[in-house]
């Protein structure tokens, strides 16, 4: 199941379908915007086997030059994405697809601190069952207490995420 209605927060159990959906979407994106792309990464909780998640596929697209993102707007619109611009989240182009929302793209320049943090946190969750369980419990609790406030849900995960990143020396900007 994919799709999270606006202003709702709920989690669903992890499914292999999320990996398949990411791989399919990655291929579509690569075919439309490939000359600007360094790499396409599956990020967020849907990328972590066994972790419940909001049913939205988060995708990080790595580009050589931040301004190459402007060249990707029309091709991504052709794939059904809307462009949220560069002012919603720091140092990234933001795209989203569907209502209810099914996909989000965070487009970063190679070496971006935010990209590195996304990848390091994902990899930590993939490789450390204890941290993954703690994060799962936190997310479940927050999804219950903030069912209709995605910003509060996200904000209250920040301290946990930052504490994990602080322990990981690989989060430095390249």
């Amino acid at each position: 199941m994919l799709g999270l209605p606006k202003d709702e927060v709920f989690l669903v159990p992890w499914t292999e379908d999320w990996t398949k959906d990411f791989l399919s979407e990655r291929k579509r994106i690569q075919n439309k915007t490939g000359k600007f792309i360094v790499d396409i990464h599956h990020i967020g909780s849907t990328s972590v086997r066994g972790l419940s998640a909001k049913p939205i596929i988060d995708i990080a697209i790595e580009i050589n030059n931040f301004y190459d993102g402007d060249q990707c707007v029309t091709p991504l619109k052709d794939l059904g994405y809307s462009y949220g611009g560069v002012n919603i989240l720091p140092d990234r182009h933001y795209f989203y697809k569907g209502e209810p929302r099914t996909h989000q793209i965070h487009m970063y320049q190679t070496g971006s601190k935010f990209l590195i943090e996304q990848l390091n946190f994902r990899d930590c969750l993939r490789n450390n069952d204890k941290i993954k369980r703690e994060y799962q419990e936190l997310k479940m609790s927050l999804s219950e207490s903030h069912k209709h406030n995605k910003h509060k849900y996200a904000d209250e995960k920040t301290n946990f995420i930052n504490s994990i990143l602080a322990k990981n020396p690989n989060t430095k900007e390249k």
Side-chain angles (χ1 to χ4, degrees):
M1 176 204 145
L2 270 184
L4 186 68
K6 190 176 177 105
D7 298 324
E8 287 190 36
V9 176
F10 60 85
L11 304 178
V12 296
W14 187 87
T15 172
E16 184 69 39
D17 291 341
W18 291 340
T19 301
K20 293 174 186 173
D21 189 273
F22 164 74
L23 293 171
S24 173
E25 196 70 7
R26 177 177 156 175
K27 185 175 184 178
R28 294 176 71 227
I29 292 167
Q30 185 69 43
N31 288 339
K32 279 284 195 184
T33 61
K35 69 181 183 177
F36 300 105
I37 293 175
V38 174
D39 205 348
I40 302 173
H41 309 276
H42 191 183
I43 59 171
S45 294
T46 61
S47 70
V48 180
R49 180 177 295 277
L51 186 61
S52 295
K54 295 180 297 179
I56 300 173
I57 304 297
D58 281 299
I59 300 168
I61 297 180
E62 187 175 348
I63 52 180
N64 275 319
N65 182 310
F66 187 74
Y67 299 103
D68 286 345
D70 296 331
Q71 304 303 311
C72 298
V73 173
T74 298
L76 289 172
K77 281 185 175 181
D78 292 344
L79 293 176
Y81 286 89
S82 296
Y83 184 50
V86 296
N87 296 322
I88 293 175
L89 298 164
D91 295 330
R92 71 192 87 184
H93 294 271
Y94 177 69
F95 299 83
Y96 55 94
K97 181 178 181 178
E99 186 51 53
R101 185 160 302 171
T102 59
H103 297 78
Q104 299 182 121
I105 293 174
H106 309 269
M107 187 176 285
Y108 305 93
Q109 181 171 318
T110 297
S112 162
K113 168 187 180 266
F114 300 105
L115 172 62
I116 293 166
E117 288 175 348
Q118 287 278 350
L119 296 174
N120 285 340
F121 187 66
R122 177 204 63 194
D123 292 347
C124 180
L125 292 173
R126 284 179 173 176
N127 296 316
N128 188 313
D129 287 339
K130 179 182 181 290
I131 293 172
K132 181 168 66 174
R133 274 191 307 277
E134 290 173 10
Y135 191 53
Q136 169 86 1
E137 290 169 12
L138 174 64
K139 287 169 40 115
M140 297 299 281
S141 173
L142 293 175
S143 70
E144 286 296 315
S145 59
H146 303 302
K147 289 180 184 182
H148 301 289
N149 191 334
K150 68 180 182 179
H151 298 293
K152 200 153 180 77
Y153 168 82
D155 288 346
E156 291 193 21
K157 293 187 306 179
T158 301
N159 285 341
F160 179 86
I161 294 167
N162 287 341
S163 73
I164 299 305
L165 291 173
K167 296 174 191 172
N168 187 338
N170 298 323
T171 58
K172 302 289 186 261
E173 206 168 339
K174 290 183 181 177

